């Protein structure tokens, strides 16, 4: 871990903010067209308590939906990875389900489970993010070369041992690749619910209130907060990947 | 022998046929109907023996290894190992393939240790690693214990794969074209390593190969399988005085043996020397 690994991204963010500020300043855009970074500071300081509370609501519900997606996605992936018949049967169903725009599902879910806001939000975050996990696990398992199995099977190892010793670790790189996609998707899911069917919780609700009050800097500040949360969660996954699947990383050069 | 840990492994009995393949026939169900692969195949390998099996591509050599290791059951006939009928996988077998199938997330040492994590034994972790180190040293891989498989050359990976096949002291070592993907020089290096290993680590060997020189260099018995459906077409005993140094492969005697085997393979493929000449002329 060297210093430049920290400094480079920080510099990149600063340059980005500088360019943004300059763009707004040069064009002399009013706030409702495009807020500038210097407007965001006041928005954050004025509402920092709300940002903490709502940000936490968004974060924990996203993580909950994501955990559910990991459990269900991995289970589906295992079923499809080990059984050809199940794969042939489930795949079209899953693809079809995934193709439905989740924005259309939100009102349905909201009607189905009226009042269960947390549950609904978690459900949407889950529904939008489990697909890549299921696909990656199933592909990882079904493309396992038979010789890998044979090495252990010829020693009398059980299916469970083969799964733990070989199938699971061999699938981890693909799993984490999918998880990175799923993290972003889960955020979209949470915010979709919070914005389309607002119930006064989460950053989506804060965004909505900014819209109602024509508080444009607040709306932009929410977007930034969402981006920060997204980056945070993404890097948590990156760290986990380094720990559990770091072996798959090739040394450059 | 060198200081390797004891406390497991087979007790060596009297000289009997250790691997017995009796009248084995096998078919696969395929989309285009049943495929008759093996037809009343008979092979018998003495304890401590090393048998090479050669035959046309697709004649069922890999199928044979899966039957001996218990990964598959034959439709007809019986496979016996050490006086017991094979009904399923057993830990007294070690296997290595053309593809070394090392686990990329494990170090070389931990790859070699793997079978000891599965086969029941009373070894401590330290003893398992000591055993693995001993074998890695034997095949010339000491110093590479902590490397990842991707950091090794093809020949080195194959050496590691060999160590993994031997680490639990199997009675039977099954090698399915283990050197097939290597260049000629690396392959010859590994042949010599095999001789060394065989002296230090006694086993009964079944080697599938496409390389006739390899078969007479390593084995004391060469079996030629016929084309599909395959039976035992030809048997050649290679005496202990046979080629055991690379130079021995270029003697008139070795040339004679290779010639006979080449001729047998042609028969197995359903070709004759005349066919070849005609084909070449066209
Ligand atoms: N599980 C299976 N299902 C159907 N057919 C199979 C199966 N395994 C092997 N076969 C077929 O059986 C025949 C023998 O296969 P096998 O792999 O034993 O041949 P081989 O002698 O090892 O060939 P090669 O020299 O190319 O390695 C081939 O035609 C192969 O396509
Ligand atoms: Mg084969």
């Amino acid at each position: 871990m060297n210093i430049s690994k920290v400094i480079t991204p920080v510099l990149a963010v600063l340059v980005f903010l500088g360019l943004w500020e300059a763009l707004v300043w040069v064009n002399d855009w009013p706030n409702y067209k495009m807020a500038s970074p210097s407007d965001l500071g006041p928005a954050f300081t004025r509402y920092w308590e709300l940002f903490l509370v709502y940000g936490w609501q968004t974060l924990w519900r996203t993580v909950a939906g994501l955990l559910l997606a990991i459990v269900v996605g991995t289970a589906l992936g295992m079923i499809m990875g080990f059984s050809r018949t199940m794969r042939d049967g489930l795949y079209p169903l899953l693809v079809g389900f995934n193709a439905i725009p989740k924005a259309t599902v939100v009102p349905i879910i909201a009607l189905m489970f009226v009042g269960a806001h947390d549950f609904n939000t978690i459900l949407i975050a889950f529904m939008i993010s489990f697909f890549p996990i299921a696909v990656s696990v199933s592909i990882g398992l079904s493309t396992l070369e038979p010789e890998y199995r044979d090495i252990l099977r010829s020693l009398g190892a059980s299916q469970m041992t083969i799964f733990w010793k070989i199938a699971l670790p061999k699938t981890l790189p693909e799993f984490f690749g999918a998880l990175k996609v799923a993290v972003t998707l889960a955020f979209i899911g949470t915010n979709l619910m919070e914005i389309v069917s607002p119930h006064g919780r989460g950053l989506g609700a804060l965004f909505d209130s900014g819209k109602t009050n024509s508080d444009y800097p607040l709306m932009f500040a929410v977007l930034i907060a969402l981006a920060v949360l997204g980056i945070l969660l993404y890097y948590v996954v990156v760290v986990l990947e380094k720990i559990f699947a770091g072996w798959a990383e090739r040394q450059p050069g | 022998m060198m200081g390797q840990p004891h406390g497991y492994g087979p007790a060596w009995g009297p000289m009997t046929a250790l691997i017995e393949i009796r009248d084995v026939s096998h078919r696969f169900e395929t989309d285009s109907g049943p495929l008759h692969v093996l037809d009343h195949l008979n092979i018998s390998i003495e304890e401590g023996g090393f048998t090479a099996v050669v035959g046309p591509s697709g004649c069922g050599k890999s199928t044979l290894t899966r039957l001996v290791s218990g990964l598959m059951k034959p439709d007809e006939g019986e496979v016996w190992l050490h006086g017991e009928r094979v009904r399923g996988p057993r830990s007294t077998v070690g296997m290595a393939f053309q593809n070394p199938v090392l686990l990329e997330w494990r170090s070389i040492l931990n790859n070699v240790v793997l079978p000891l994590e599965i086969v029941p034994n009373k070894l401590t972790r330290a003893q398992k690693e000591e055993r693995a180190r001993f074998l890695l040293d034997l095949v010339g891989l000491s110093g590479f214990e902590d490397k990842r498989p991707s950091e090794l050359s093809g020949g080195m990976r194959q050496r590691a794969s060999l160590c993994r096949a031997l680490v639990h002291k199997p009675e039977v070592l099954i090698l399915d074209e283990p050197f097939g993907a290597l260049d000629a020089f690396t392959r010859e290096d590994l042949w010599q390593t095999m001789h060394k290993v065989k002296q230090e680590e006694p086993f009964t060997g079944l080697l599938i190969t496409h390389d006739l020189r390899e078969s007479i260099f390593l084995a004391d018995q060469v079996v030629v399988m016929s084309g599909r459906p395959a039976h035992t077409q030809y048997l050649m005993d290679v005496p202990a005085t046979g080629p055991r140094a690379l130079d021995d492969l270029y003697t008139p005697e070795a040339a004679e043996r290779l010639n006979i085997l080449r001729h047998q393979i042609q028969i197995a493929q359903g070709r004759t020397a005349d066919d070849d000449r005609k084909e070449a002329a066209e």
Side-chain angles (χ1 to χ4, degrees), chain A residues 90-113:
Chain A
L90 283 176
Y91 231 96
L93 277 178
L94 286 184
V95 171
F97 181 81
N98 194 47
I100 300 173
K102 294 301 168 294
T104 61
V105 180
V106 167
I108 299 175
I109 295 287
L111 272 180
M112 273 168 85
F113 309 102

Side-chain angles (χ1 to χ4, degrees), chain B residues 14-270:
Chain B
M15 282 286 283
T16 48
L18 192 108
I19 305 178
E20 193 89 53
I21 295 152
R22 287 192 201 146
D23 252 353
V24 163
S25 299
H26 196 78
R27 278 165 227 268
F28 285 113
E29 294 306 324
T30 65
D31 294 340
S32 50
L35 182 73
H36 196 171
V37 177
L38 301 178
D39 183 38
H40 297 284
L41 186 72
N42 280 291
I43 299 175
S44 159
I45 306 176
E46 294 300 314
E47 179 155 356
F50 200 152
T51 294
V53 174
V54 296
S57 183
C59 73
K61 301 182 295 296
S62 297
T63 306
L64 172 66
T65 65
R66 295 172 64 80
L67 292 174
V68 174
S69 61
L71 289 171
M72 261 169 40
K73 289 192 188 77
D75 290 345
E76 285 167 46
E78 297 167 4
V79 179
W80 289 71
L81 277 193
H82 215 166
E84 264 184 74
R85 176 130 182 228
V86 173
R87 293 175 196 282
R90 47 176 63 209
S91 54
T92 54
V93 171
M95 289 185 96
F97 310 100
Q98 174 167 352
N99 177 354
V101 288
L102 298 172
L103 311 183
E104 201 49 55
W105 55 93
R106 285 174 172 244
S107 66
I108 291 299
L109 184 74
N110 285 333
N111 263 287
V112 176
V113 165
L114 180 71
L116 293 178
E117 294 173 10
I118 290 163
V119 172
N121 63 72
K122 293 196 181 69
L123 299 181
T124 63
R125 182 75 203 175
Q127 285 172 316
K128 289 176 188 173
E129 288 185 4
E130 192 188 339
R131 166 80 183 146
R133 277 178 210 284
F134 165 79
L135 286 173
L136 285 169
D137 185 45
L138 187 63
V139 302
L141 277 187
S142 52
F144 293 91
E145 291 89 348
D146 298 327
K147 294 261 189 275
R148 299 275 171 189
S150 59
E151 295 174 277
L152 267 57
S153 69
M156 290 158 109
R157 269 180 246 177
Q158 208 46 262
R159 283 170 204 269
S161 165
L162 196 61
C163 292
R164 180 181 56 192
L166 287 167
V167 74
H168 56 298
K169 297 203 169 178
E171 283 181 284
V172 174
L173 182 64
I174 300 175
L175 305 169
D176 192 349
E177 296 185 44
F179 316 129
L182 305 176
D183 67 85
F185 298 124
T186 311
R187 196 181 308 172
E188 289 173 0
D189 262 359
L190 269 143
W191 293 351
Q192 282 164 318
T193 304
M194 275 310 294
H195 274 309
K196 195 168 139 200
V197 167
K198 183 95 172 69
Q199 272 172 11
E200 293 281 333
E201 292 278 323
F203 59 78
T204 305
L206 174 64
L207 168 75
I208 310 294
T209 178
H210 273 139
D211 186 334
L212 297 180
R213 290 162 71 239
E214 180 171 301
S215 73
I216 63 165
F217 188 71
L218 291 178
D220 50 39
Q221 170 181 255
V222 181
V223 174
V224 180
M225 276 167 73
S226 70
R228 239 183 8 239
H231 59 268
T232 319
Q233 177 185 305
Y234 183 80
L235 244 170
M236 174 188 279
D237 282 317
V238 186
T241 55
R244 291 302 178 251
L246 285 175
D247 284 348
D248 299 347
L249 283 173
Y250 300 92
T251 60
E253 195 225 327
E256 175 65 24
R257 286 186 183 283
L258 291 174
N259 223 349
I260 295 170
L261 288 174
R262 213 163 43 80
H263 184 64
Q264 287 296 332
I265 293 282
Q266 280 177 341
I267 295 172
Q269 289 174 323

Side-chain angles (χ1 to χ4, degrees), chain A residues 8-91:
Chain A
T8 316
V10 169
L11 269 181
V13 170
L14 288 179
V15 168
F16 171 76
L17 289 178
L19 286 177
W20 179 2
E21 184 78 45
L23 191 70
V24 176
W25 189 75
V26 165
N27 288 301
D28 204 15
W29 278 329
N31 260 345
Y32 55 83
K33 193 161 190 180
M34 180 92 146
S36 61
S38 55
D39 300 324
L40 299 180
F44 276 123
T45 41
R46 198 141 55 101
Y47 301 113
W48 69 271
E49 253 175 308
L50 290 181
F51 270 101
L52 280 186
V53 173
Y54 286 125
W56 168 245
Q57 284 167 351
T58 296
L59 185 64
W60 83 256
R61 295 192 293 193
T62 304
V63 171
L66 201 57
L67 290 178
L68 196 61
I70 291 174
V71 172
V72 175
T74 307
L76 280 172
M78 278 171 72
I79 292 170
M80 293 193 296
F82 283 130
S83 158
R84 186 74 211 254
T85 324
M86 293 305 267
R87 183 155 69 247
D88 292 345
L90 283 176
Y91 231 96

Side-chain angles (χ1 to χ4, degrees), chain A residues 20 40 44 50-63 121 183-196 201-208 217-235:
Chain A
W20 179 2
L40 299 180
F44 276 123
L50 290 181
F51 270 101
L52 280 186
V53 173
Y54 286 125
W56 168 245
Q57 284 167 351
T58 296
L59 185 64
W60 83 256
R61 295 192 293 193
T62 304
V63 171
T121 312
V183 164
T184 324
L185 287 177
F187 258 109
I188 295 175
T190 312
N191 282 283
L192 211 56
M193 195 70 191
E194 288 172 354
I195 294 173
V196 177
R201 277 186 222 172
L203 287 174
L206 196 58
F207 181 85
D208 212 50
L218 176 60
M219 289 165 72
F220 274 93
V222 168
L223 295 189
I224 298 294
L226 281 171
V228 169
L229 282 186
I231 292 172
L232 188 80
L233 215 50
Y234 183 87
Y235 277 98

